[in-house]
Amino acid sequence: MALPLQPSLPLPLPLPLSLPAAAAALAALAALLLVLICAIAHVTAKKMPTLHRHEEEKFFVNAEGRKEPLPSVHDPPTRELSVVVPSYNEEDRLPLMMDEALDYLEKRQKRDPSFTYEVIVVNDGSKDQTTKVAMQYCKKYGSDKVRVLSLVKNRGKGGAVRMGVFSSRGKKILMADADGATKFADIEKVEEGLKNLQPWPNQMAISCGSRAHLEKDSVAKRSYFRTLLMYGFHFLVWFLCVKEIRDTQCGFKLLTREAALRTFSTLHIERWAFDVELLYIAQRLKIPIAEVAVNWTEIEGSKLVPFWSWLQMGRDLLFIRLRYMTGAWKLERRKCN
């Protein structure tokens, strides 16, 4: 005779984790994730990017069409000011910037004959007529005042600025964007900011042009998505790298020759986030930094692709902090060959 089936008992449900246990589990997961990211950042880090120049990059073409060897930032300075203009496919925007800059510099030199300058246009592997446009200014003002350095391949904005800095002759070196978004006469404001930092330790100081005072106006004109990206980027810069400078990305920065040599010799990032690493290095080296409000106008034709460029910069910011923290990157000095 078959025995009656016994009703199966329900399996016991797992007890929910208590709040402290859940918090501990999340903390352990976060710690594991951080260790993993640190390991990836360390393993994938290039110890020091190459500073090798291609043979064609060791010369510039003068106004007469002859090749001349480029000077080195390691040599004693022979000019008061060098202006480095990184340019990638800038045939349309470069003339406006160059006209304004050279008009100011020529007038200043007439007022003060002891003031000497040079403008170095760095063509960062452009596919348009950037070199041809820049050479017109070389022929007009002479190759002692305007020089064009053409890179064999695109290095990125940071790489282009570095090559220009390493070929400069100025006691002070100004980075200026090719779009002319910053009013060039505002160089006097950043010069004053630099002067106010004296005495400069080891002759090193940096003065940054800033658009932070224009933030409210820019928010009103931008989409919510771009505003969110902007605030997110600013938070990451503050949280991970640079706390004392509100606007790290304005392309109008004035450095003493010694500060430029020290920071650009250490720089690893060669694309959009290079400004942040530059200032991070300066802070680590205790180089004094001033932030000065400048006049700025947004110019059409930016090479920055809003979402993907911001994503790349966010990744670079995280890696800057982690790679220096783990010792993958060090504050070493290198010489460009």
Side-chain angles (χ1 to χ4, degrees):
M1 182 175 174
L3 294 173
L5 293 173
Q6 296 293 323
S8 60
L9 295 175
L11 293 173
L13 293 173
L15 294 174
L17 287 174
S18 64
L19 190 60
L26 285 174
L29 185 62
L32 183 63
L33 185 61
L34 180 60
V35 170
L36 181 62
I37 293 172
C38 286
I40 292 171
H42 189 90
V43 170
T44 59
K46 291 182 179 179
K47 296 301 179 184
M48 296 301 262
T50 177
L51 295 186
H52 175 70
R53 288 184 192 264
H54 291 277
E55 196 61 33
E56 298 91 329
E57 296 171 351
K58 297 179 181 180
F59 302 88
F60 70 96
V61 177
N62 63 23
E64 290 75 38
R66 294 192 302 272
K67 281 187 176 182
E68 290 188 34
L70 284 162
S72 170
V73 71
H74 296 277
D75 300 332
T78 58
R79 298 291 179 275
E80 287 295 316
L81 176 70
S82 292
V83 182
V84 177
V85 186
S87 305
Y88 177 67
N89 293 343
E90 293 289 2
E91 64 178 2
D92 294 326
R93 302 196 299 177
L94 186 62
L96 181 65
M97 181 272 168
M98 292 292 283
D99 288 340
E100 182 187 355
L102 288 162
D103 180 65
Y104 168 85
L105 293 167
E106 285 292 292
K107 287 178 178 176
R108 180 165 170 175
Q109 191 171 63
K110 285 180 181 177
R111 293 196 309 269
D112 178 12
S114 66
F115 173 74
T116 52
Y117 75 87
E118 66 174 349
V119 178
I120 304 171
V121 179
V122 185
N123 176 19
D124 189 22
S126 298
K127 296 176 175 63
D128 66 356
Q129 300 297 313
T130 295
T131 292
K132 183 178 179 181
V133 170
M135 282 302 298
Q136 291 173 358
Y137 291 91
C138 175
K139 292 173 183 176
K140 180 178 179 180
Y141 292 92
S143 50
D144 196 46
K145 289 184 175 180
V146 179
R147 294 182 173 182
V148 182
L149 170 56
S150 293
L151 304 184
V152 171
K153 64 178 183 177
N154 179 266
R155 291 175 181 254
K157 184 180 178 184
V161 173
R162 171 158 47 198
M163 288 299 104
V165 166
F166 283 174
S167 304
S168 65
R169 297 176 288 167
K171 293 179 182 177
K172 295 190 288 286
I173 300 171
L174 177 73
M175 296 160 40
D177 286 345
D179 61 4
T182 305
K183 187 176 175 60
F184 195 85
D186 281 359
I187 185 178
E188 295 177 12
K189 295 179 180 179
V190 291
E191 282 178 319
E192 186 66 22
L194 201 66
K195 182 180 177 182
N196 291 338
L197 293 173
Q198 289 180 322
W200 303 325
N202 299 314
Q203 292 301 304
M204 294 194 292
I206 301 173
S207 182
C208 302
S210 174
R211 305 159 297 178
H213 61 295
L214 303 171
E215 190 171 290
K216 288 183 180 179
D217 290 339
S218 69
V219 167
K221 295 174 183 176
R222 283 190 172 125
S223 67
Y224 287 117
F225 180 65
R226 290 195 68 184
T227 299
L228 183 65
L229 287 175
M230 179 186 75
Y231 280 126
F233 178 76
H234 287 174
F235 172 75
L236 286 176
V237 170
W238 174 85
F239 183 70
L240 295 171
C241 300
V242 180
K243 287 184 166 55
E244 298 174 5
I245 305 299
R246 291 178 63 196
D247 181 12
T248 58
Q249 299 309 108
C250 181
F252 205 71
K253 294 180 176 68
L254 184 67
L255 302 88
T256 63
R257 188 175 184 83
E258 290 74 11
L261 173 59
R262 188 69 179 87
T263 52
F264 278 98
S265 294
T266 305
L267 193 73
H268 297 77
I269 301 289
E270 291 199 311
R271 296 200 176 271
W272 296 109
F274 86 95
D275 301 80
V276 179
E277 190 194 356
L278 188 80
L279 296 175
Y280 180 79
I281 291 167
Q283 287 190 344
R284 290 277 303 271
L285 295 173
K286 300 190 183 323
I287 298 174
I289 307 170
E291 185 173 17
V292 182
V294 294
N295 292 294
W296 185 87
T297 306
E298 190 160 357
I299 307 295
E300 290 184 2
S302 172
K303 309 299 184 299
L304 204 65
V305 181
F307 179 74
W308 295 111
S309 295
W310 290 93
L311 195 64
Q312 181 188 21
M313 286 194 287
R315 181 206 64 188
D316 287 344
L317 294 180
L318 180 62
F319 280 4
I320 287 169
R321 181 59 183 268
L322 292 180
R323 284 169 174 167
Y324 278 107
M325 187 175 73
T326 61
W329 288 354
K330 302 180 188 299
L331 298 177
E332 302 175 48
R333 297 182 69 168
R334 295 157 298 161
K335 191 170 182 178
C336 185
N337 297 318

